[in-house]
Amino acid sequence: MKTLGLALEEHRGFGPGFDFVRLFLASGVVLWHCFPITAGSARLIEATPFWFIVSSMVPMFFAVSGFLVIASATRVPVGPFLMNRVARIFPALIVVVGLMALAVGPLISSVPPGIYFESSRLWRYLATGLGLVSFDLPGVFEANPYARVVNGSLWTVPHEILCYLMVAGLMILGLAGRWWALTLLFALIFLLAFLGQWAPVGTLPGPVEMLVRSPHFAQGSKIIPFFLLGAIFYLARGRIPLDWRLAALSLVAVMAIGTLVDPSARKGALLWLAAGPPLTYLTVWAGMVRLPKPNFLGGGDFSYGVYLWHFPILQLLVMAFGIGSWWVLGLASILPVMLVAAASWHFVEKPALAWRKRHSLAGARAAKG
């Protein structure tokens, strides 16, 4: 039976469906965010059976990232690995943060420019470009239903950076290619998340208590394990079958979990432990098969631009036109989001990656000389 490893070899190390999967997931996040941005909260969809589908979009993103990033970690030294991650993440992030804070924000803020530029909230928001995430700007989107949140999507950025640093640490220790090391790390995070949800407050050792009660850990423990699962799947690729029947079974399992699970456990560690393997397999399987990719994308990867830019664009559309329907907002956002994502790819992300590639080649030639 064909394995993930054999399929990767056939496609020269990169699954032909991953571009589609990333764009599909990014589009799903856009649609999901239309609900809270028009209604002021996500309770409408969280009360339906579709809650698990939308809640799975970001974890699946992290599974894709883990699968692809660990592949890079096994091919290059830690220095170039980190430089590659910096070149992929930060240029587009800095641009979206800078433009919203320094160009768009002053134009739409309800406070005078002098107060706006003197506000500490502006400088805290600018630090988001370095991964220190803040969500509000002075006087921006204060009258929107989802008030004062400029770019809610960026909550995942620190966790993505942490994943890269964990991989770098494993590379330094010589463990990045060991599936058991990542499995132990996955088990540790799950154990801490389980303790945070089930252990009575004040019963854990001081540092553990502080960690598991932290809001940042509570958020990260729902997505970082999927990064690790994606990485584990890559490292075990020679033993994992690529089979549509397993994908179908995984889909049934995920749907069953989302439909039958007790609502009180919807955000629990046990839920994500149960859903993690089938959801990761489904994601990786889709990335390894040929899926249609819109012709207008060419060779570009617009998913990161869609993810970074869609939230402020949705907020701007609601502010400008008073859109109160999630599906109207979704339709209205398609063209502007895709245009801005294309601009981000062609004028920011692609040139940054090309610069990094040229720098790497120049360094390799210098080393040989």
Side-chain angles (χ1 to χ4, degrees), residues 84-127:
N84 289 341
R85 295 300 92 210
V86 168
R88 186 67 187 100
I89 294 298
F90 284 101
L93 175 64
I94 291 170
V95 168
V96 67
V97 169
L99 286 178
M100 286 303 301
L102 301 177
V104 179
L107 293 177
I108 64 174
S109 175
S110 60
V111 303
I115 296 176
Y116 181 90
F117 284 104
E118 290 177 358
S119 173
S120 60
R121 292 158 63 190
L122 168 63
W123 304 109
R124 282 198 302 269
Y125 188 82
L126 285 170

Side-chain angles (χ1 to χ4, degrees), residues 59 101 181 242 270 274 287 318:
L242 180 67
L270 288 174
V318 170

Side-chain angles (χ1 to χ4, degrees), residues 2 4 6-21 242-244 282-294 298:
K2 180 183 289 188
L4 297 179
L6 288 175
L8 278 173
E9 290 176 8
E10 290 179 1
H11 299 292
R12 299 182 179 179
F14 186 81
F18 278 120
D19 285 339
F20 176 91
V21 170
L242 180 67
D243 192 327
W244 68 267
L282 188 61
T283 305
V284 172
W285 175 86
M288 297 305 302
V289 299
R290 291 196 178 277
L291 295 171
K293 183 179 177 181

Side-chain angles (χ1 to χ4, degrees), residues 5 39 43 84 137 149 251 283 307 334 342:
R43 293 177 182 174
N84 289 341
L137 286 167
V149 180
L251 178 61
T283 305
Y307 187 82
I334 294 173

